Amino acid sequence: QQPVQSPQAVILREGEDAVINCSSSKALYSVHWYRQKHGEAPVFLMILLKGGEQKGHDKISASFNEKKQQSSLYLTASQLSYSGTYFCGSSPNNAGNMLTFGGGTRLMVKP
Amino acid sequence: ETGVTQSPTHLIKTRGQQVTLRCSSQSGHNTVSWYQQALGQGPQFIFQYYREEENGRGNFPPRFSGLQFPNYSSELNVNALELDDSALYLCASSLSGRRGYTFGSGTRLTVV
């Protein structure tokens, strides 16, 4: 069963913040986040492993709550380059492979 | 550092035919996964190869099969094509799943 992402779509002005949520009915061992621009390959953003950690680089960060089986991606002070579709992927094991992806969240950042 | 390359980029096949898609992994990556992505949806896991052995499979019928070669490049074969097989097929390679995957740009397959 695939993770559920919310919202399905969001429109922001440059400089605004956004949160994308990913929840699963199955136990999560690790969560991957990817961004895919139209017509391009998904690009790896980060992976969060069991342990409730929070990670980030630049102005994009994420948290992982294994008890609630949820992960959230935080985009701060959004830039035009953040536009795209964001996917979370859950792995059934600690190896972080065989990902089941959510349906995606379409993010559009406008000037 | 080269990325993941897939060929061909586009393909049109007739229902019932067979197709082979190819993937060249990123240098040094020994794990390759294949995903099917329908329009507007997230990628769906087909199977994974590690050092030439299939070590994981998603909910796809046996007519979807694959190979990984000693240089870690890979093929996806689909027999008896159906209209619903029309999709973008993505190949992704990794040294370890815990480091994330590098995806190719995909092969757009259209079955008519």
Side-chain angles (χ1 to χ4, degrees), chain B residues 6-68:
Chain B
Q6 293 186 241
S7 62
T9 54
H10 295 83
L11 203 51
I12 300 175
K13 287 285 190 178
T14 304
R15 190 172 49 182
Q17 284 188 315
Q18 178 264 342
V19 68
T20 298
L21 310 182
R22 294 180 173 81
C23 170
S24 182
S25 305
Q26 181 165 318
S27 178
H29 286 186
N30 54 20
T31 300
V32 65
S33 301
W34 285 90
Y35 289 85
Q36 180 194 66
Q37 186 175 28
L39 208 57
Q41 296 183 24
Q44 282 197 47
F45 175 68
I46 302 175
F47 45 59
Q48 175 170 286
Y49 280 82
Y50 171 70
R51 295 188 174 182
E52 303 177 60
E53 296 285 331
E54 184 184 299
N55 71 342
R57 190 175 183 92
N59 191 24
F60 279 80
R63 59 189 185 84
F64 285 79
S65 63
L67 278 174
Q68 188 182 29

Side-chain angles (χ1 to χ4, degrees), chain A residues 4-22:
Chain A
V4 176
Q5 289 185 232
S6 63
Q8 289 186 319
V10 59
I11 300 174
L12 299 173
R13 291 285 178 193
E14 239 181 324
E16 291 181 338
D17 302 339
V19 180
I20 299 172
N21 299 303
C22 174

Side-chain angles (χ1 to χ4, degrees), chain A residues 28-100:
Chain A
L28 291 175
Y29 289 88
S30 63
V31 177
H32 294 226
W33 285 97
Y34 288 80
R35 176 174 60 214
Q36 186 177 29
K37 293 182 183 281
H38 184 70
E40 297 182 11
V43 172
F44 174 70
L45 296 176
M46 64 189 78
I47 180 173
L48 298 107
L49 304 174
K50 232 177 172 179
E53 62 174 336
Q54 185 151 354
K55 275 183 129 173
H57 62 84
D58 199 9
K59 296 188 175 74
I60 300 176
S61 63
S63 63
F64 177 25
N65 186 324
E66 65 197 73
K67 285 187 180 176
K68 291 187 178 179
Q69 295 167 191
Q70 289 177 349
S71 177
S72 295
L73 186 72
Y74 307 93
L75 300 116
T76 307
S78 57
Q79 305 167 17
L80 295 177
S81 61
Y82 287 3
S83 293
T85 302
Y86 289 77
F87 293 101
C88 68
S90 65
S91 175
N93 53 49
N94 284 324
N97 56 19
M98 297 187 282
L99 300 176
T100 300

